[in-house]
Amino acid sequence: MEHLLSIITPVYKVENFIEKCAHSLMKQTIRGIQFVFIDDRGNDESISLLRRVISLYPERTKDVLILENPKNLGSSESRNKGLRHANGKYVTFCDADDWVDPTAAQVMLENIVKLDADIVWTDFYLLNRHSEMIQNQRCFETSEACVSALLEERLHGALWNKIYRKDLFDSNNIIFPSGRDVWEDLYTNVRLFYFAKKVAYVPNAFYHYVQYNNLSLASIRNEKQLSDIIANTESIIGFLKDQSALDRFEDQVQILKLASKQTLLFSVRRSSFRKWRELFPESNDEIWNFKKLPIHLRLLGKMASFKLWPIIDFWILLKRIKNVFDKR
């Protein structure tokens, strides 16, 4: 059975969130949706809870596909598996610890069909423990403008507030980077927007992006994840070079490099500041242009660039003292 839209959702260690997510997907206001869930072997109750929610919507049962990974493979491989089994003309993605408003699929589908677009994107809600704020994703009229905005973090690199013509993946052989599960969405979106012939923005918000799941990849930054970010950054740059497009995005690529290593400036170790200085050093002079980074971190970056280690050490000492008092 073919569907108009496939929604792909990897499931990994989300037993505290999956029921709300699944209910929100099952309550979409239109039919013709294929729901593709991928069990990424979190060894918790996520899949059992998911199946229980699905059983409450018997009219959806025939449209639900639950795939199993042989072991934990990560979000990239899970999404690739979902794409291989998706039969919708259009495809979108959901993270299993988030949820969506009931009209999301209907409005996004209506717009991508009406506008005959390859990609449509929307605003979204950013949800913390005590507040929810709308994140405006203002209109960029061309694919090239969107690529620039993605590289500069002016357009969010996530998949879940966007809907794609599935042929955009298939005809350009676009897949997620195997084994690299941080910034894999940006890696993929740069390619998708680059090849898109027509894109469109819808000034509505439907997606609720949860930022308080401590098990989410988005909330963790370890050496492996930093390595994934750097590898995906290098792959994005390599892709633009292969397309003979690097010159067109030269300024934006410098911001991308700075964004890829920004977490090192939050550190309380001098070695992290040294690593910041040595990683993509050609971008260091552009740090004042990275407006999304707080000014004190831009100052620290400048100091590291000039090897002003005594000032860096003093900052680290102050931060460590503050952390001790914060824990009391």
Side-chain angles (χ1 to χ4, degrees), residues 15 83 86 88 95 118 123 133 138 149 157 171 184 187 202 205 218 229 236 238 276 288 317:
E15 59 185 11
L83 281 172
D95 287 354
D118 294 312
D123 300 329
M133 300 172 290
R138 63 194 179 115
S171 61
E184 81 289 357
Y187 165 105
V202 175
I229 290 174
I236 290 168
W276 182 90
W288 285 117
L317 176 62

PDB file of all heavy atoms in Angstrom, residues 15 83 86 88 95 118 123 133 138 149 157 171 184 187 202 205 218 229 236 238 276 288 317:
ATOM      1  N   GLU A  15      11.388   5.948  26.999  1.00  0.00           N
ATOM      2  CA  GLU A  15      10.197   5.424  27.653  1.00  0.00           C
ATOM      3  C   GLU A  15       9.422   6.504  28.408  1.00  0.00           C
ATOM      4  O   GLU A  15       8.209   6.343  28.642  1.00  0.00           O
ATOM      5  CB  GLU A  15      10.566   4.274  28.593  1.00  0.00           C
ATOM      6  CG  GLU A  15      11.545   4.618  29.678  1.00  0.00           C
ATOM      7  CD  GLU A  15      11.965   3.411  30.506  1.00  0.00           C
ATOM      8  OE1 GLU A  15      11.652   2.264  30.118  1.00  0.00           O
ATOM      9  OE2 GLU A  15      12.610   3.623  31.548  1.00  0.00           O
ATOM     10  N   LEU A  83      14.030   5.235   5.646  1.00  0.00           N
ATOM     11  CA  LEU A  83      13.906   5.695   4.263  1.00  0.00           C
ATOM     12  C   LEU A  83      13.757   4.538   3.289  1.00  0.00           C
ATOM     13  O   LEU A  83      12.993   4.620   2.311  1.00  0.00           O
ATOM     14  CB  LEU A  83      15.133   6.526   3.880  1.00  0.00           C
ATOM     15  CG  LEU A  83      15.172   7.978   4.363  1.00  0.00           C
ATOM     16  CD1 LEU A  83      16.535   8.597   4.076  1.00  0.00           C
ATOM     17  CD2 LEU A  83      14.071   8.811   3.696  1.00  0.00           C
ATOM     18  N   ALA A  86      10.161   3.487   3.536  1.00  0.00           N
ATOM     19  CA  ALA A  86       9.127   4.513   3.368  1.00  0.00           C
ATOM     20  C   ALA A  86       8.564   4.458   1.956  1.00  0.00           C
ATOM     21  O   ALA A  86       9.312   4.454   0.980  1.00  0.00           O
ATOM     22  CB  ALA A  86       9.717   5.895   3.645  1.00  0.00           C
ATOM     23  N   GLY A  88       5.931   6.648   1.009  1.00  0.00           N
ATOM     24  CA  GLY A  88       5.204   7.881   0.744  1.00  0.00           C
ATOM     25  C   GLY A  88       5.840   8.700  -0.358  1.00  0.00           C
ATOM     26  O   GLY A  88       7.053   8.635  -0.581  1.00  0.00           O
ATOM     27  N   ASP A  95      11.441  13.069  16.164  1.00  0.00           N
ATOM     28  CA  ASP A  95      12.225  12.489  17.241  1.00  0.00           C
ATOM     29  C   ASP A  95      11.265  11.969  18.301  1.00  0.00           C
ATOM     30  O   ASP A  95      10.276  12.639  18.637  1.00  0.00           O
ATOM     31  CB  ASP A  95      13.170  13.514  17.848  1.00  0.00           C
ATOM     32  CG  ASP A  95      14.349  13.831  16.938  1.00  0.00           C
ATOM     33  OD1 ASP A  95      14.497  13.170  15.893  1.00  0.00           O
ATOM     34  OD2 ASP A  95      15.119  14.754  17.267  1.00  0.00           O
ATOM     35  N   ASP A 118       9.898  21.088  -3.402  1.00  0.00           N
ATOM     36  CA  ASP A 118      10.683  19.929  -2.994  1.00  0.00           C
ATOM     37  C   ASP A 118      10.835  19.860  -1.479  1.00  0.00           C
ATOM     38  O   ASP A 118      10.933  18.770  -0.906  1.00  0.00           O
ATOM     39  CB  ASP A 118      12.075  19.982  -3.626  1.00  0.00           C
ATOM     40  CG  ASP A 118      12.028  19.830  -5.131  1.00  0.00           C
ATOM     41  OD1 ASP A 118      11.348  18.905  -5.602  1.00  0.00           O
ATOM     42  OD2 ASP A 118      12.668  20.629  -5.835  1.00  0.00           O
ATOM     43  N   ASP A 123       8.033  27.101  11.369  1.00  0.00           N
ATOM     44  CA  ASP A 123       8.541  27.466  12.688  1.00  0.00           C
ATOM     45  C   ASP A 123       8.403  26.248  13.612  1.00  0.00           C
ATOM     46  O   ASP A 123       7.812  25.230  13.247  1.00  0.00           O
ATOM     47  CB  ASP A 123       7.746  28.642  13.261  1.00  0.00           C
ATOM     48  CG  ASP A 123       7.833  29.889  12.388  1.00  0.00           C
ATOM     49  OD1 ASP A 123       8.863  30.082  11.725  1.00  0.00           O
ATOM     50  OD2 ASP A 123       6.853  30.670  12.378  1.00  0.00           O
ATOM     51  N   MET A 133       9.035  28.328  23.897  1.00  0.00           N
ATOM     52  CA  MET A 133       9.195  29.534  23.094  1.00  0.00           C
ATOM     53  C   MET A 133       9.133  29.173  21.613  1.00  0.00           C
ATOM     54  O   MET A 133       9.704  28.158  21.192  1.00  0.00           O
ATOM     55  CB  MET A 133      10.538  30.207  23.391  1.00  0.00           C
ATOM     56  CG  MET A 133      10.711  30.635  24.831  1.00  0.00           C
ATOM     57  SD  MET A 133      12.415  31.197  25.166  1.00  0.00           S
ATOM     58  CE  MET A 133      13.298  29.636  25.048  1.00  0.00           C
ATOM     59  N   ARG A 138      12.382  32.343   9.680  1.00  0.00           N
ATOM     60  CA  ARG A 138      11.952  33.309   8.670  1.00  0.00           C
ATOM     61  C   ARG A 138      12.250  32.834   7.249  1.00  0.00           C
ATOM     62  O   ARG A 138      13.125  32.021   7.017  1.00  0.00           O
ATOM     63  CB  ARG A 138      12.608  34.671   8.902  1.00  0.00           C
ATOM     64  CG  ARG A 138      14.114  34.660   8.773  1.00  0.00           C
ATOM     65  CD  ARG A 138      14.724  35.934   9.330  1.00  0.00           C
ATOM     66  NE  ARG A 138      16.190  35.875   9.207  1.00  0.00           N
ATOM     67  CZ  ARG A 138      16.884  36.682   8.452  1.00  0.00           C
ATOM     68  NH1 ARG A 138      16.268  37.583   7.723  1.00  0.00           N
ATOM     69  NH2 ARG A 138      18.194  36.585   8.410  1.00  0.00           N
ATOM     70  N   ALA A 149      21.884  29.914   5.019  1.00  0.00           N
ATOM     71  CA  ALA A 149      21.294  30.044   6.350  1.00  0.00           C
ATOM     72  C   ALA A 149      21.575  28.820   7.214  1.00  0.00           C
ATOM     73  O   ALA A 149      21.798  28.941   8.424  1.00  0.00           O
ATOM     74  CB  ALA A 149      19.787  30.274   6.229  1.00  0.00           C
ATOM     75  N   GLY A 157      19.050  23.308  11.519  1.00  0.00           N
ATOM     76  CA  GLY A 157      19.444  22.165  10.693  1.00  0.00           C
ATOM     77  C   GLY A 157      18.643  20.913  10.917  1.00  0.00           C
ATOM     78  O   GLY A 157      18.909  19.888  10.271  1.00  0.00           O
ATOM     79  N   SER A 171      16.738  10.376  -5.954  1.00  0.00           N
ATOM     80  CA  SER A 171      17.370  10.739  -7.223  1.00  0.00           C
ATOM     81  C   SER A 171      18.775  11.302  -7.041  1.00  0.00           C
ATOM     82  O   SER A 171      19.577  11.295  -7.982  1.00  0.00           O
ATOM     83  CB  SER A 171      16.499  11.744  -7.983  1.00  0.00           C
ATOM     84  OG  SER A 171      16.324  12.925  -7.230  1.00  0.00           O
ATOM     85  N   GLU A 184      24.178  15.048  11.947  1.00  0.00           N
ATOM     86  CA  GLU A 184      23.818  14.255  10.774  1.00  0.00           C
ATOM     87  C   GLU A 184      22.644  14.887  10.031  1.00  0.00           C
ATOM     88  O   GLU A 184      22.503  14.719   8.819  1.00  0.00           O
ATOM     89  CB  GLU A 184      23.484  12.813  11.182  1.00  0.00           C
ATOM     90  CG  GLU A 184      22.093  12.552  11.737  1.00  0.00           C
ATOM     91  CD  GLU A 184      21.830  13.109  13.130  1.00  0.00           C
ATOM     92  OE1 GLU A 184      22.757  13.684  13.755  1.00  0.00           O
ATOM     93  OE2 GLU A 184      20.688  12.993  13.601  1.00  0.00           O
ATOM     94  N   TYR A 187      24.205  17.784   7.968  1.00  0.00           N
ATOM     95  CA  TYR A 187      24.907  17.119   6.855  1.00  0.00           C
ATOM     96  C   TYR A 187      23.924  16.785   5.730  1.00  0.00           C
ATOM     97  O   TYR A 187      24.199  17.018   4.544  1.00  0.00           O
ATOM     98  CB  TYR A 187      25.563  15.858   7.406  1.00  0.00           C
ATOM     99  CG  TYR A 187      26.046  14.818   6.418  1.00  0.00           C
ATOM    100  CD1 TYR A 187      27.409  14.670   6.146  1.00  0.00           C
ATOM    101  CD2 TYR A 187      25.164  13.940   5.790  1.00  0.00           C
ATOM    102  CE1 TYR A 187      27.867  13.691   5.259  1.00  0.00           C
ATOM    103  CE2 TYR A 187      25.616  12.967   4.907  1.00  0.00           C
ATOM    104  CZ  TYR A 187      26.959  12.848   4.657  1.00  0.00           C
ATOM    105  OH  TYR A 187      27.414  11.885   3.787  1.00  0.00           O
ATOM    106  N   VAL A 202       6.517  28.040   5.587  1.00  0.00           N
ATOM    107  CA  VAL A 202       5.148  28.199   6.090  1.00  0.00           C
ATOM    108  C   VAL A 202       5.236  28.795   7.494  1.00  0.00           C
ATOM    109  O   VAL A 202       5.812  28.177   8.396  1.00  0.00           O
ATOM    110  CB  VAL A 202       4.406  26.846   6.127  1.00  0.00           C
ATOM    111  CG1 VAL A 202       3.031  27.008   6.768  1.00  0.00           C
ATOM    112  CG2 VAL A 202       4.272  26.280   4.723  1.00  0.00           C
ATOM    113  N   ALA A 205       3.832  27.108  13.466  1.00  0.00           N
ATOM    114  CA  ALA A 205       4.605  26.183  14.301  1.00  0.00           C
ATOM    115  C   ALA A 205       3.716  25.016  14.716  1.00  0.00           C
ATOM    116  O   ALA A 205       2.574  25.218  15.156  1.00  0.00           O
ATOM    117  CB  ALA A 205       5.148  26.903  15.527  1.00  0.00           C
ATOM    118  N   ALA A 218      21.189  15.243  21.768  1.00  0.00           N
ATOM    119  CA  ALA A 218      21.309  16.699  21.725  1.00  0.00           C
ATOM    120  C   ALA A 218      21.770  17.279  23.056  1.00  0.00           C
ATOM    121  O   ALA A 218      22.226  18.412  23.116  1.00  0.00           O
ATOM    122  CB  ALA A 218      19.968  17.320  21.319  1.00  0.00           C
ATOM    123  N   ILE A 229      30.632  15.643  14.975  1.00  0.00           N
ATOM    124  CA  ILE A 229      30.377  16.998  14.483  1.00  0.00           C
ATOM    125  C   ILE A 229      31.470  17.425  13.507  1.00  0.00           C
ATOM    126  O   ILE A 229      31.188  17.948  12.421  1.00  0.00           O
ATOM    127  CB  ILE A 229      30.288  17.996  15.661  1.00  0.00           C
ATOM    128  CG1 ILE A 229      29.010  17.751  16.460  1.00  0.00           C
ATOM    129  CG2 ILE A 229      30.319  19.436  15.149  1.00  0.00           C
ATOM    130  CD1 ILE A 229      28.912  18.588  17.723  1.00  0.00           C
ATOM    131  N   ILE A 236      30.456  18.152   4.865  1.00  0.00           N
ATOM    132  CA  ILE A 236      29.693  19.244   4.249  1.00  0.00           C
ATOM    133  C   ILE A 236      30.607  20.092   3.362  1.00  0.00           C
ATOM    134  O   ILE A 236      30.278  20.417   2.219  1.00  0.00           O
ATOM    135  CB  ILE A 236      29.031  20.116   5.335  1.00  0.00           C
ATOM    136  CG1 ILE A 236      27.903  19.342   6.027  1.00  0.00           C
ATOM    137  CG2 ILE A 236      28.489  21.413   4.724  1.00  0.00           C
ATOM    138  CD1 ILE A 236      27.393  20.013   7.287  1.00  0.00           C
ATOM    139  N   GLY A 238      33.449  19.161   2.042  1.00  0.00           N
ATOM    140  CA  GLY A 238      33.836  18.332   0.905  1.00  0.00           C
ATOM    141  C   GLY A 238      32.749  18.257  -0.148  1.00  0.00           C
ATOM    142  O   GLY A 238      33.034  18.292  -1.360  1.00  0.00           O
ATOM    143  N   TRP A 276      40.573  24.079  20.480  1.00  0.00           N
ATOM    144  CA  TRP A 276      39.779  25.069  19.732  1.00  0.00           C
ATOM    145  C   TRP A 276      40.684  25.853  18.791  1.00  0.00           C
ATOM    146  O   TRP A 276      40.350  26.083  17.628  1.00  0.00           O
ATOM    147  CB  TRP A 276      39.076  26.021  20.692  1.00  0.00           C
ATOM    148  CG  TRP A 276      38.211  27.014  19.986  1.00  0.00           C
ATOM    149  CD1 TRP A 276      36.902  26.881  19.659  1.00  0.00           C
ATOM    150  CD2 TRP A 276      38.624  28.285  19.447  1.00  0.00           C
ATOM    151  NE1 TRP A 276      36.461  27.982  18.963  1.00  0.00           N
ATOM    152  CE2 TRP A 276      37.503  28.860  18.821  1.00  0.00           C
ATOM    153  CE3 TRP A 276      39.831  28.981  19.443  1.00  0.00           C
ATOM    154  CZ2 TRP A 276      37.542  30.099  18.198  1.00  0.00           C
ATOM    155  CZ3 TRP A 276      39.882  30.220  18.822  1.00  0.00           C
ATOM    156  CH2 TRP A 276      38.752  30.775  18.213  1.00  0.00           C
ATOM    157  N   TRP A 288      34.388  37.079  15.612  1.00  0.00           N
ATOM    158  CA  TRP A 288      33.490  38.195  15.924  1.00  0.00           C
ATOM    159  C   TRP A 288      32.242  38.187  15.052  1.00  0.00           C
ATOM    160  O   TRP A 288      31.221  38.784  15.406  1.00  0.00           O
ATOM    161  CB  TRP A 288      34.229  39.520  15.755  1.00  0.00           C
ATOM    162  CG  TRP A 288      35.186  39.797  16.875  1.00  0.00           C
ATOM    163  CD1 TRP A 288      36.532  39.928  16.790  1.00  0.00           C
ATOM    164  CD2 TRP A 288      34.875  39.946  18.264  1.00  0.00           C
ATOM    165  NE1 TRP A 288      37.082  40.144  18.020  1.00  0.00           N
ATOM    166  CE2 TRP A 288      36.089  40.159  18.956  1.00  0.00           C
ATOM    167  CE3 TRP A 288      33.684  39.909  18.999  1.00  0.00           C
ATOM    168  CZ2 TRP A 288      36.144  40.348  20.337  1.00  0.00           C
ATOM    169  CZ3 TRP A 288      33.744  40.089  20.375  1.00  0.00           C
ATOM    170  CH2 TRP A 288      34.959  40.302  21.017  1.00  0.00           C
ATOM    171  N   LEU A 317      39.741  29.075  36.341  1.00  0.00           N
ATOM    172  CA  LEU A 317      39.696  29.052  37.805  1.00  0.00           C
ATOM    173  C   LEU A 317      38.397  29.659  38.322  1.00  0.00           C
ATOM    174  O   LEU A 317      37.733  29.088  39.208  1.00  0.00           O
ATOM    175  CB  LEU A 317      40.895  29.816  38.367  1.00  0.00           C
ATOM    176  CG  LEU A 317      40.953  29.965  39.904  1.00  0.00           C
ATOM    177  CD1 LEU A 317      41.046  28.596  40.560  1.00  0.00           C
ATOM    178  CD2 LEU A 317      42.119  30.859  40.303  1.00  0.00           C
TER     179      LEU A 317
END
